[in-house]
């Protein structure tokens, strides 16, 4: 039985450590009874934090959320290098850190900002000829991944532990950035080697971890809808706030549902924003479609239509 309000919605979840993103999605399916569920970006099993889950028709919005910038909190351990670039991997190198220049190390990490070409970890979900890179590595293949352009907006050291050789940091970055690669490359620059030991996603686009619920809290909501006071359950129209919005009448709605262009006379109100895409809704704020619209020439190209 589907839970009223959970379908065709965006659910913000706080992923726990030690569970895969796939396992979390399976739990949401079990709790809500909704089979059509997607998400906008995985987290490694050892990582925690924000996952944006989309249900029903809202799964068609995940591509938009994948483009969003992200913010993370992480911890790097100097002196230990692993094949996965994180603490879960096989150790390939260990070096003593008795003479680490911590001030120089902090300055080195702060230099990881701006646009750059980053090589993803070999143990990743990136596909080579249809097969995951990590699967190819585990089957004994030797692979080389091409670098990709990414952007790190800010990276700040938030703490150090000289006795355990840890550096804590916050980072704000573009889509496609691997924080594990930052740890790997930082270790190479310092000469000690390094790996990522903790990672927490704290925001993704307009979404923040403070809005999210745990999977246990989601279960509680199923049993008592008023037990959690967090804005974790959102309508699609609430989360596409940087999209333009066109409200149309019933005549226009019928045309849109059938994939036909509507006329200016069908428009009740129009608000254009910076994004090329516009939400098309009815007068009751139900999302009908997302489209690219040339206002001057009145050209309409539907990206997706909801029915």
């Amino acid at each position: 039985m589907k839970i009223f309000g959970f379908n065709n919605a965006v659910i913000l979840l706080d992923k726990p450590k030690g569970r895969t993103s796939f396992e979390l999605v399976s739990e949401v399916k079990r709790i809500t009874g909704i089979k059509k569920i997607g998400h906008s970006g995985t987290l490694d099993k050892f990582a925690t934090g924000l996952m944006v889950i989309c249900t029903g028709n809202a799964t068609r919005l995940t591509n938009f959320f994948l483009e969003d910038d992200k913010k993370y909190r992480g911890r790097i351990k100097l002196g230990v290098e692993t094949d996965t670039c994180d603490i879960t991997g096989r150790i390939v190198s260990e070096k003593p850190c008795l003479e680490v220049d911590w001030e120089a190390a902090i300055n080195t990490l702060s230099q990881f900002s701006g646009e750059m070409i980053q090589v993803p970890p070999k143990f990743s979900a990136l596909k080579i000829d249809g097969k995951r890179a990590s699967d190819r590595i585990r089957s004994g293949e030797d692979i080389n991944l091409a670098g990709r352009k990414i952007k790190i907006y800010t990276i700040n050291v938030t703490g150090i532990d000289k006795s355990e050789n840890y550096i804590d940091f916050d980072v704000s970055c573009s889509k496609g950035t691997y924080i594990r690669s930052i740890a790997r490359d930082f270790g190479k620059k310092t000469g000690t080697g390094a790996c990522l030991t903790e990672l927490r996603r704290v925001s993704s686009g307009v979404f923040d971890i403070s809005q999210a619920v745990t999977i246990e809290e989601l279960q509680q909501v199923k049993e008592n809808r008023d037990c959690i006071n967090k804005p974790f359950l959102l309508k699609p129209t609430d989360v596409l706030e940087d999209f333009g919005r066109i409200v149309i009448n019933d005549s226009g709605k019928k045309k849109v549902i059938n994939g036909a262009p509507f006329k200016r006379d069908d428009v009740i109100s129009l608000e254009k924003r910076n994004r090329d895409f516009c939400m098309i809704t009815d007068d009751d704020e139900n999302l009908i479609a997302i489209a690219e619209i040339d206002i001057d020439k009145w050209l309409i190209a539907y990206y997706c239509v909801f029915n």
Side-chain angles (χ1 to χ4, degrees), residues 121-301:
K122 291 185 177 182
F123 281 87
S124 68
L126 292 177
K127 291 187 177 180
I128 303 174
D129 297 329
K131 188 176 180 180
R132 288 186 175 188
S134 56
D135 293 336
R136 289 185 176 276
I137 288 290
R138 291 188 179 99
S139 65
E141 294 184 50
D142 185 18
I143 64 171
N144 289 306
L145 293 175
R148 305 189 303 173
K149 183 182 288 187
I150 59 123
K151 187 171 184 178
I152 297 177
Y153 303 104
T154 60
I155 183 165
N156 299 305
V157 173
T158 59
I160 61 173
D161 184 335
K162 297 180 181 180
S163 63
E164 297 293 334
N165 302 320
Y166 288 128
I167 291 183
D168 295 329
F169 65 98
D170 291 339
V171 59
S172 173
C173 56
S174 66
K175 69 165 187 174
T177 301
Y178 279 90
I179 312 303
R180 286 185 287 141
S181 290
I182 294 176
R184 176 200 63 202
D185 296 341
F186 168 72
K188 289 179 179 178
K189 284 198 171 188
T190 59
T192 63
C195 68
L196 194 67
T197 62
E198 293 182 14
L199 183 65
R200 181 165 177 78
R201 184 189 289 160
V202 295
S203 75
S204 177
V206 300
F207 308 115
D208 187 84
I209 190 63
S210 62
Q211 300 170 263
V213 295
T214 64
I215 198 69
E216 291 79 15
E217 287 175 326
L218 188 68
Q219 178 69 49
Q220 293 174 27
V221 172
K222 175 185 176 181
E223 299 164 2
N224 178 7
R225 288 301 302 272
D226 298 324
C227 68
I228 302 296
N229 187 25
K230 288 183 182 179
F232 74 95
L233 184 63
L234 303 165
K235 295 189 299 183
T237 50
D238 293 333
V239 300
L240 301 176
E241 59 182 27
D242 58 342
F243 283 38
R245 183 178 298 210
I246 297 176
V247 181
I248 56 176
N249 59 24
D250 289 340
S251 174
K253 181 177 180 178
K254 292 177 182 177
K255 295 170 187 173
V256 175
I257 289 175
N258 289 304
F262 56 94
K263 299 179 180 179
R264 291 181 188 267
D265 293 342
D266 296 318
V267 176
I268 298 174
S269 66
L270 187 154
E271 181 183 1
K272 183 67 176 171
R273 297 204 174 176
N274 294 329
R275 290 288 290 266
D276 295 330
F277 291 100
C278 285
M279 290 185 286
I280 302 173
T281 72
D282 61 19
D283 206 16
D284 293 323
E285 297 189 349
N286 295 307
L287 183 61
I288 306 168
I290 294 175
E292 288 186 274
I293 299 180
D294 186 322
I295 302 297
D296 297 328
K297 297 179 181 179
W298 203 250
L299 297 176
I300 303 169

Side-chain angles (χ1 to χ4, degrees), residues 6-65:
F6 282 1
N7 200 23
N8 304 323
V10 176
I11 302 173
L12 305 181
L13 285 183
D14 187 346
K15 177 191 168 301
K17 190 174 184 178
R19 306 202 41 197
T20 66
S21 299
F22 178 80
E23 289 170 343
L24 201 66
V25 169
S26 297
E27 279 291 285
V28 176
K29 289 181 179 180
R30 179 189 63 79
I31 291 170
T32 64
I34 299 169
K35 293 182 179 180
K36 189 177 181 181
I37 291 181
H39 62 84
S40 59
T42 61
L43 280 170
D44 291 328
K45 188 174 182 179
F46 82 100
T48 69
L50 182 64
M51 283 193 64
V52 181
I53 307 291
C54 299
T55 67
N57 286 335
T59 56
R60 303 174 77 178
L61 305 179
T62 54
N63 285 338
F64 293 111
F65 302 147

